[in-house]
Structure formats: C-alpha cells, structure tokens
Amino acid sequence: QVQLEESGGGLVQPGGSLRLSCVTSRGFFSVATMAWYRQVPGKQREFVAIMDTLGPTINYTESVKGRSFISGDNFKTAVELQMNALKPEDTGVYYCKVDGWITERAGRMDYWGKGTLVAVSS
C-alpha cells in the first residue's frame, strides 16, 4: 500500500498565501492524474485542481483560477498547491489524490491523503 500525507495548512488572514504539499510514501509505477480537493463540514468534497499526465494538462475549479497553482514532482512522489489571495470561502480540509498504478502488476486506483486544514479568517 502507499500513503499520502498533506502538510502546509493552517490559519491565514484573507488575502494571504499558503503552500500545500503532499508527499507519497513511495514512488508510483505510473500516474494518470494528481489532484487537490477540499471539503467543508456538511458539504460534498469539491474539486480544486488537477494535473493530467496525458498531455500533460492542468485544470482548476473556476473559483481558484488565477490564484492557485498546482505542480508535481514528475508525477511520482509529490504534488503541491500554491494558494494566493485566499478568501474565507477557501476554508476547508484539503486532500491530495493520486490516480495511478502503484506497481506494474497492480490495477489503477485512487489514493487519498488524510487532509490538511486551511482556515481563512480575520
């Protein structure tokens, strides 16, 4: 099994910045996508940003375009999310996800981290 761990969350005032990191306990044999999601209590988990290795291509949810930027370590062991000009509505638990193959023999699966809390408040 592989473990993903997020870090970099915390309390920040509106307009501030945070850089979230997600590291994997091992490299993947192959990766299809690396992504970030967020969730607020009582609401469904929301897509934030994704890197697709096919192109590669990058997409963001409309609310973070121009403010947040996703990057990866050759899609193997790490994925990061730089967030700028943060707003209260950015508050939530942020999760990283890797969609890929942990070994050559394994089937394709989604792997999730445990989350890191981002709280944007004055």
Side-chain angles (χ1 to χ4, degrees):
Q1 186 60 265
V2 63
Q3 296 180 358
L4 280 62
E5 184 172 357
E6 303 93 337
S7 63
L11 298 174
V12 62
Q13 293 184 334
S17 298
L18 286 174
R19 186 174 183 86
L20 306 183
S21 296
C22 175
V23 296
T24 62
S25 60
R26 59 171 291 172
F28 280 71
F29 172 76
S30 186
V31 172
T33 67
M34 305 183 78
W36 286 93
Y37 291 74
R38 65 190 178 194
Q39 187 169 25
V40 177
K43 300 186 67 176
Q44 186 174 338
R45 189 169 299 184
E46 175 190 22
F47 162 78
V48 177
I50 189 167
M51 298 181 67
D52 189 331
T53 64
L54 182 60
T57 59
I58 296 175
N59 281 293
Y60 302 93
T61 190
E62 188 68 27
S63 65
V64 308
K65 286 182 178 179
R67 301 188 297 118
S68 295
F69 305 90
I70 189 171
S71 61
D73 178 22
N74 199 29
F75 309 111
K76 292 183 178 180
T77 60
V79 59
E80 298 186 337
L81 183 69
Q82 175 68 45
M83 301 188 293
N84 303 314
L86 286 163
K87 304 175 181 180
E89 51 262 43
D90 293 317
T91 294
V93 177
Y94 283 68
Y95 301 87
C96 66
K97 184 193 78 173
V98 177
D99 171 13
W101 298 259
I102 189 169
T103 69
E104 185 175 7
R105 300 181 185 275
R108 180 175 173 176
M109 289 183 59
D110 287 343
Y111 297 87
W112 291 87
K114 296 181 179 180
T116 184
L117 176 64
V118 172
V120 185
S121 177
S122 61

